[in-house]
Amino acid sequence: METSVSRRRAAGALLAGTLVPGTGHVLVGARSTGIPLTALSGALLLAVALLVARLASSPLDAIAFGAAADGLGVVGLAAALWLVYVAAVAADLLRRLRMRSAASARRRLSLAAVALLVIPAVICGTISASAFTGRGILTSVFGGDTGLEAHDGRYNILVVGADRAPGRSVVQPDSITVVSVDALTGRTAVVGVDRTTQNFPYPAGSVMASQFPSGNRCLSGCNINFTYQYGLEHADLWPGSPDPGLSALTEAVEGYTGLTMSGHVYVELEAFIRLIDALGGVTVDVKAEVPRIGVPDIGSDQLSVVGPPIEPGVQHMDGETALWFARSRYASSNSDRMQRQSCIQQALLKQLDPGTALSVFLSLAGTTEGLSTDLSPEALGTLAALADGARSQPLDRVELTKPLVQPLQPDLDVVASALRSALHPGEDAPVSPASPSAPLSGGLIVPVSPAAGGDDAPSAEPLCTVP
């Protein structure tokens, strides 16, 4: 016959059983049940502790774990199941204690058990909610099913910075960049595509090629960035595509560069500001003053001074300042803007180690509007691992603009040679600017929107560097 249990021993058993299910049973003498439960609980808790220690010491592993095989969803479900397990074991322990306690103590035991269960409920609830929130961010941003496929030994990611500002009748990608990553070493090359580029072919067999067999051939009004709007206006040509504009722009960039894209990242201006702020800002050595004047205002020719200029010197920029630095158009050419955008991109790549990337990811919870990609979460883990290795290697940069090529009439042989030199060092000799190709007529014609500033030759001296 079971003996009664003292009040102190019952309280200790409830507390111990809540922290490590099964130990409470052992304390009250139910060893045949308690020992197996304690062994199971101890093994599970040890495994969790080892996993947490591993992830805490390696942000890269944390990113890979969260991205691979719905890791965050598994964490959320595991936390919920652990709470159910703790509650079930505690309920059995409470039943045993009530049977061996005086009637006057049974109510107090029940209240104590409920109070103690609040501890694991809060902990498991927080873990589960955080995990499912993180999973929601992953699926909203990395909601695509595009796995990473290397082309000629490299992952080529199209990064598009787009302006969906009020007052614009069309969406205009302001920044078009290809980030090309060596699939083995992680060495990265960044290819800047001038948004005013014209007169280039579309890939054989592509939708754009079927619409314009002679390619993008015209004298004016068919900048490469207007391809995005063409895709939006002809979405039926890309049935099933979540973003026909990006599908069209991807084909245009592939035709111009000869590179096959492995995926894309799309960032709108407001999302860019949030991303930089979440990173804690970026540091750029500014060589020439950049006025906060003349960001395009469709419908008005008035230039307005929005704030003080960005002064020369090493500047740690928040998101809004970085956006002004990258986009300012007053007395500035496309080549100048591409150079400043290049500095911001290099600063991002330099600062965005796996640990920082993880903190940025967590801080962007619920604010991912305007930020998307067709890459899968598993692709994120692969890219994070390669990016960590790339930090110790040089960052190669190619600007497909003046003086290397004339965007309105690019020499495609020069473009191909420049890209081979950057992506496969040692295979080709360095290239030099060449005369533009002869103009061709016909093809895609889209009205050109006015923009402040000119498209003169690039500045002779560097406009910025990354310290």
Side-chain angles (χ1 to χ4, degrees):
M1 181 177 180
E2 294 181 326
T3 58
S4 61
V5 178
S6 68
R7 183 185 305 175
R8 178 177 297 180
R9 190 174 183 184
L14 285 173
L15 177 60
T18 301
L19 298 177
V20 182
T23 53
H25 287 71
V26 174
L27 290 176
V28 297
R31 300 175 64 85
S32 60
T33 300
I35 290 177
L37 286 176
T38 300
L40 174 62
S41 302
L44 293 174
L45 290 173
L46 178 60
V48 170
L50 292 175
L51 176 62
V52 170
R54 173 67 179 272
L55 299 182
S57 64
S58 174
L60 183 58
D61 287 341
I63 293 175
F65 175 82
D70 200 16
L72 290 175
V74 171
V75 170
L77 180 60
L81 291 176
W82 176 260
L83 178 59
V84 171
Y85 170 65
V86 171
V89 174
D92 181 73
L93 177 60
L94 178 62
R95 178 185 62 81
R96 295 171 184 268
L97 291 174
R98 285 171 59 87
M99 291 174 58
R100 298 161 63 181
S101 301
S104 60
R106 292 173 183 172
R107 179 179 176 80
R108 290 193 295 272
L109 283 172
S110 298
L111 291 175
V114 171
L116 287 172
L117 281 175
V118 170
I119 299 174
V122 170
I123 295 174
C124 293
T126 300
I127 293 174
S128 183
S130 299
F132 282 117
T133 297
R135 181 178 182 274
I137 298 172
L138 270 180
T139 54
S140 65
V141 177
F142 294 88
D145 56 4
T146 301
L148 276 182
E149 181 180 352
H151 301 281
D152 199 17
R154 304 188 70 89
Y155 299 126
N156 302 313
I157 312 299
L158 176 63
V159 181
V160 178
D163 189 351
R164 201 183 288 271
R168 285 193 181 276
S169 59
V170 296
V171 179
Q172 298 181 0
D174 268 9
S175 173
I176 303 173
T177 304
V178 178
V179 179
S180 182
V181 183
D182 188 291
L184 294 178
T185 68
R187 179 165 176 167
T188 301
V190 179
V191 181
V193 178
D194 193 309
R195 63 185 190 150
T196 66
T197 300
Q198 302 175 14
N199 294 301
F200 55 86
Y202 295 115
S206 67
V207 174
M208 291 298 291
S210 70
Q211 300 300 303
F212 306 97
S214 61
N216 178 297
R217 307 297 187 191
C218 65
L219 296 177
S220 66
C222 53
N223 297 351
I224 193 172
N225 66 331
F226 284 103
T227 311
Y228 185 91
Q229 186 64 26
Y230 180 85
L232 295 182
E233 295 173 356
H234 300 82
D236 57 301
L237 296 176
W238 290 271
S241 172
D243 192 331
L246 275 174
S247 296
L249 182 59
T250 296
E251 291 182 1
V253 172
E254 288 182 338
Y256 177 48
T257 63
L259 302 175
T260 301
M261 297 301 112
S262 303
H264 71 254
V265 176
Y266 173 87
V267 184
E268 291 183 5
L269 302 188
E270 289 301 319
F272 174 84
I273 292 175
R274 294 195 304 269
L275 179 62
I276 297 295
D277 287 338
L279 183 62
V282 291
T283 301
V284 175
D285 189 354
V286 181
K287 302 299 184 181
E289 179 181 282
V290 177
R292 301 182 197 237
I293 297 175
V295 171
D297 182 12
I298 301 302
S300 172
D301 293 328
Q302 298 295 319
L303 296 178
S304 58
V305 179
V306 179
I310 302 173
E311 300 288 346
V314 177
Q315 304 284 355
H316 188 71
M317 304 177 185
D318 60 12
E320 185 175 357
T321 303
L323 182 60
W324 271 104
F325 182 75
R327 298 186 68 238
S328 181
R329 299 189 180 190
Y330 182 73
S332 179
S333 69
N334 267 330
S335 299
D336 290 342
R337 290 192 293 276
M338 288 179 67
Q339 186 180 153
R340 296 197 303 268
Q341 291 168 2
S342 171
C343 287
I344 295 295
Q345 291 166 352
Q346 291 181 58
L348 279 169
L349 291 172
K350 181 177 181 179
Q351 294 179 214
L352 204 58
D353 61 90
T356 306
L358 186 59
S359 64
V360 168
F361 170 78
L362 295 174
S363 66
L364 286 176
T367 60
T368 58
E369 183 179 358
L371 178 64
S372 64
T373 178
D374 64 343
L375 296 173
S376 65
E378 288 77 11
L380 169 63
T382 301
L383 287 175
L386 289 172
D388 190 44
R391 286 168 54 79
S392 61
Q393 302 184 59
L395 176 67
D396 302 304
R397 178 84 194 188
V398 178
E399 296 291 356
L400 297 180
T401 187
K402 301 174 184 177
L404 181 65
V405 294
Q406 303 296 320
L408 301 185
Q409 296 291 337
D411 186 320
L412 298 180
D413 289 336
V414 170
V415 170
S417 182
L419 293 180
R420 280 196 302 271
S421 296
L423 305 187
H424 305 283
E427 293 185 7
D428 281 324
V431 298
S432 59
S435 58
S437 305
L440 300 174
S441 60
L444 173 60
I445 307 294
V446 186
V448 178
S449 299
D455 287 321
D456 306 323
S459 301
E461 298 296 329
L463 299 177
C464 55
T465 59
V466 178

